[in-house]
Every structure is written in structure tokens, then in C-alpha cells.
Amino acid sequence: RREREREEKRMEAKRKREDEFAGGGGGGGKVVLGYWAIRGLGQPIRLLLEYSGTPYEEKLYHAVWKECGATKVKKIDREEWFGVKYELGLDFPNLPWLKDGDLKLTQTGAILTYLAEKVGMNGKSAEERAKIAMLYGLSQDVRSRYTRAAYSPDFESMKQDLVVFLEEKLKDLDAYLKGSTSGYLVGDGVTYIDLLWYDLLDQFKLVKKEVSEVDILKNFSFLETFYMKIHNHPSIEKYRNSSAFIQQLNNTQATFK
């Protein structure tokens, strides 16, 4: 009987989650963003929502260390997400996810493109959108190398080479930005790719501090100016100083977080 009652409660909770998820966005027509309680892949989306003034709510999932079994071996528990992953009606369940009315999306690039299109921050021409896509692809390559080191137990021995790699890529990006008349990466105003690279630069500054007190942008004047323009924008500054801003960069199991 007790087992049956537990199962009934579980099914009732599942139906409630499905009903809530099917009922549109958040309160007052807000979009809902689901992601880990870290910056990670979710932060560029948050920055886009904040910069554009788009009302939104967040569903944050937590990964925590738990002792398992008689030996009390510590393992990462991601049940907050994996317990509901296939109960939200997502076509391709993953984090981050976004819900806007009846639309449910996963995959960072798709979410960023969709939101940027809605608020006019995805370029003004086919050429601009192609450049944005190019810079997004570059960011994925750079982020992959960064996160591979950040999540490795050997981060301490990898961080010096990581900084060398990052500075090589930032040198190229600084040279690219030199050709911009607006000071932004594409076109004459802020696009989502500016916010994405701003967040990466913010994290890379912290990586560099692991090996040196010299700022990673010191020798990249165009990137430094670009970074400060985004950093000091009123909407971004307000967000950075709010309780909603997440400090943790990478998830609980990461060495560099």
C-alpha cells in the first residue's frame, strides 16, 4: 500500500509538471529558461534577455555531491534535472531549454537565434547573420577547449597551456574587431554574439588570474574597450549587481568553477 501511495504521488507530481509546462510561458507572458544554476551555456541567453528587457523566469537545476551506498562514496547527483528531463514535452530534452507560449526549444544556438530575432539582435542582413554564425562557431571551438580543462582533475597542470591557447584566439578576435567602426563584433549595434563573447571574456579573465595577475585583455585594446562597453551598459550593470546574477562558472564536478 505504501509503495502504491508513493507511486500515485509521483505520477500526480509528474502530471502537475506537465500541466504547468503545457500552460504557456511564465506569469504575465514571460518566457521561461531552464538551465543549471551556473553560468555555463545559459549565461549568454540570460544576458540577451536582460539586455533586451525581455521579461523571463528561470528554472534552475542543481547538481550536488551526495554520499552513495555503504561505502559513502561521493557522487554527483543530477536528479533535479534527470528526474524531469523526459516529462517536459521537449522534442530533444536537454539543457538549456526555453519555453515561450507554445514554443519549446532546446540547444543554445537555437534559443539565442530565436530570442535575438524577436528583439532585432541577430544582424540586419544575410551577411551580418553569416558573420554572427561564424563567430558563434568560433566561440564553440574555444569554449570546448576551455571547458575540457575546467572539468578535468588535471586543471592545474593544464591551465598554463589553456591561457596560451586563449590568448592566441583572442589575438585573432582583437584583430578582427579592429576593423569594426562601431566597436561591436558585427554591424553597428549590439547583437547576441557580442553578449556571448563578453561572457566568455569575463570568464577568461578569471582563468588568467589562475596563472598571472596580468589581465588577459591587457594586450588586446580593442577587445578591452569592447568588454567595458558591454560590462558597463546599464542593463548589464544592473543585472551584475542583482541577486539573480550567478557567480559559479561551471558545474559542481568541475575543478575550475
Side-chain angles (χ1 to χ4, degrees):
R1 179 183 174 182
R2 197 170 300 166
E3 183 64 32
R4 186 172 67 251
E5 288 176 350
R6 281 199 294 265
E7 180 63 16
E8 287 174 353
K9 286 181 180 179
R10 191 187 72 80
M11 293 304 296
E12 179 60 28
K14 177 181 177 181
R15 283 192 294 270
K16 185 177 180 181
R17 285 192 295 267
E18 290 173 341
D19 289 344
E20 289 174 349
F21 205 72
K30 296 178 182 178
V31 301
V32 184
L33 173 65
Y35 191 60
W36 297 111
I38 62 169
R39 284 163 66 172
L41 295 173
Q43 195 66 3
I45 302 170
R46 297 183 185 112
L47 292 172
L48 176 54
L49 291 165
E50 292 286 344
Y51 188 95
S52 64
T54 302
Y56 73 103
E57 294 177 359
E58 281 199 85
K59 172 58 182 174
L60 296 175
Y61 301 95
H62 300 81
V64 297
W65 288 105
K66 281 193 176 180
E67 293 181 344
C68 301
T71 58
K72 298 196 179 295
V73 173
K74 282 192 172 183
K75 293 185 178 180
I76 288 291
D77 186 335
R78 305 181 184 88
E79 186 61 20
E80 273 194 22
W81 163 240
F82 286 104
V84 301
K85 180 175 180 179
Y86 296 102
E87 298 177 1
L88 302 179
L90 299 167
D91 292 320
F92 305 102
N94 207 346
L95 293 176
W97 58 254
L98 183 89
K99 190 171 192 305
D100 186 8
D102 292 332
L103 179 67
K104 303 169 189 175
L105 289 174
T106 52
Q107 299 300 326
T108 306
I111 294 170
L112 283 168
T113 301
Y114 167 70
L115 291 173
E117 285 285 348
K118 286 188 69 175
V119 298
M121 294 177 64
N122 191 36
K124 298 177 180 177
S125 65
E127 179 181 335
E128 287 189 2
R129 287 188 287 274
K131 288 183 177 180
I132 289 171
M134 174 181 69
L135 289 163
Y136 180 78
L138 176 64
S139 77
Q140 295 296 88
D141 293 343
V142 176
R143 187 189 294 274
S144 177
R145 174 72 179 269
Y146 158 55
T147 54
R148 188 163 65 248
Y151 282 81
S152 172
D154 300 319
F155 175 74
E156 286 299 315
S157 63
M158 298 171 71
K159 62 186 182 183
Q160 187 68 55
D161 285 344
L162 173 62
V163 168
V164 171
F165 167 80
L166 294 177
E167 289 180 337
E168 287 175 353
K169 295 301 179 183
L170 295 187
K171 181 180 179 181
D172 292 341
L173 192 62
D174 190 68
Y176 171 86
L177 193 55
K178 183 178 180 179
S180 169
T181 57
S182 67
Y184 297 114
L185 290 170
V186 178
D188 57 7
V190 175
T191 64
Y192 83 79
I193 204 64
D194 294 299
L195 300 172
L196 184 152
W197 270 102
Y198 159 75
D199 178 56
L200 283 178
L201 294 177
D202 198 49
Q203 296 194 44
F204 296 162
K205 287 164 76 73
L206 297 175
V207 173
K208 179 65 180 287
K209 283 184 178 180
E210 291 287 310
V211 301
S212 170
E213 289 301 314
V214 179
D215 193 291
I216 198 168
L217 299 182
K218 182 181 180 182
N219 296 320
F220 307 124
S221 60
F222 295 98
L223 276 178
E224 188 172 34
T225 300
F226 161 81
Y227 172 86
M228 293 308 301
K229 285 173 73 171
I230 303 295
H231 192 70
N232 292 327
H233 187 276
S235 62
I236 299 303
E237 184 175 24
K238 180 180 178 182
Y239 174 54
R240 287 192 293 105
N241 293 323
S242 74
S243 60
F245 186 78
I246 296 173
Q247 299 291 342
Q248 186 171 327
L249 308 182
N250 299 302
N251 225 334
T252 308
Q253 69 271 31
T255 302
F256 177 74
K257 51 182 178 287

